[in-house]
């Protein structure tokens, strides 16, 4: 299984930080994807600041929202290839790694990708998203 970043890192023999967590959030009914390193935690206050809303307006997407907007269930959300076009934010902590590993659409699939290619292919905005 690669459903969690810990499982993925253990099963492919890499560091936890090189695993890309693809997390779907809803901000006032609108989805976004946040990509961060497996050893980091997203700070919802930082997402709220990007959108100019209060922290309580930022919610982790429910599984049915992930499927509706992104096309994939939690545990297998890839960084691109989504059902709809959504904003993608890439946490800057992933820059530590030249090569990272992202979910491939299922909780049993993972693929390597260069960090620079990840940013290019997602069109993601590199920013600070994690808890200090």
């Amino acid at each position: 299984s690669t459903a969690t970043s810990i499982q993925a890192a253990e099963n492919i023999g890499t560091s936890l930080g090189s695993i890309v967590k693809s997390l779907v959030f809803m901000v006032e009914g609108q989805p976004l994807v946040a990509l961060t390193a497996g050893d980091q935690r997203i700070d919802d206050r930082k997402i709220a600041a990007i959108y100019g809303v209060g922290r309580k307006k930022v919610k982790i997407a429910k599984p049915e929202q992930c499927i509706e907007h992104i096309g994939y269930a939690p545990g297998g959300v890839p960084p691109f290839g989504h059902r709809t076009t959504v904003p993608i934010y890439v946490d800057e902590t992933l820059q530590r790694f030249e090569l990272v590993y992202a979910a491939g659409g299922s909780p049993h699939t993972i693929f390597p990708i260069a960090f620079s290619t990840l940013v290019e292919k997602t069109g993601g905005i590199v920013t600070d998203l994690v808890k200090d």
Side-chain angles (χ1 to χ4, degrees), residues 76-100:
V77 174
F80 44 77
H82 305 144
R83 175 173 284 158
T84 59
T85 301
V86 298
I88 298 174
Y89 297 92
V90 182
D91 185 68
E92 60 193 17
T93 62
L94 277 168
Q95 296 182 92
R96 297 175 284 164
F97 303 96
E98 185 175 321
L99 188 67
V100 295

Side-chain angles (χ1 to χ4, degrees), residues 20-22 33-37 79 88-91 94 118 122 129:
V20 179
K21 291 195 295 192
S22 300
V33 174
L35 306 177
T36 191
I88 298 174
Y89 297 92
V90 182
D91 185 68
L94 277 168
L118 176 73
T122 62
L129 294 175

Side-chain angles (χ1 to χ4, degrees), residues 18-59:
S18 69
I19 300 296
V20 179
K21 291 195 295 192
S22 300
L23 301 171
V24 182
F25 288 87
M26 302 297 291
V27 178
E28 297 187 318
Q30 298 301 310
L32 70 98
V33 174
L35 306 177
T36 191
D39 61 355
Q40 301 295 311
R41 293 185 56 125
I42 296 287
D43 187 340
D44 56 0
R45 292 174 296 189
K46 292 180 180 178
I47 293 174
I50 291 169
Y51 282 81
V53 299
R55 177 182 185 186
K56 292 185 179 184
K57 300 282 185 180
V58 178
K59 306 280 186 206

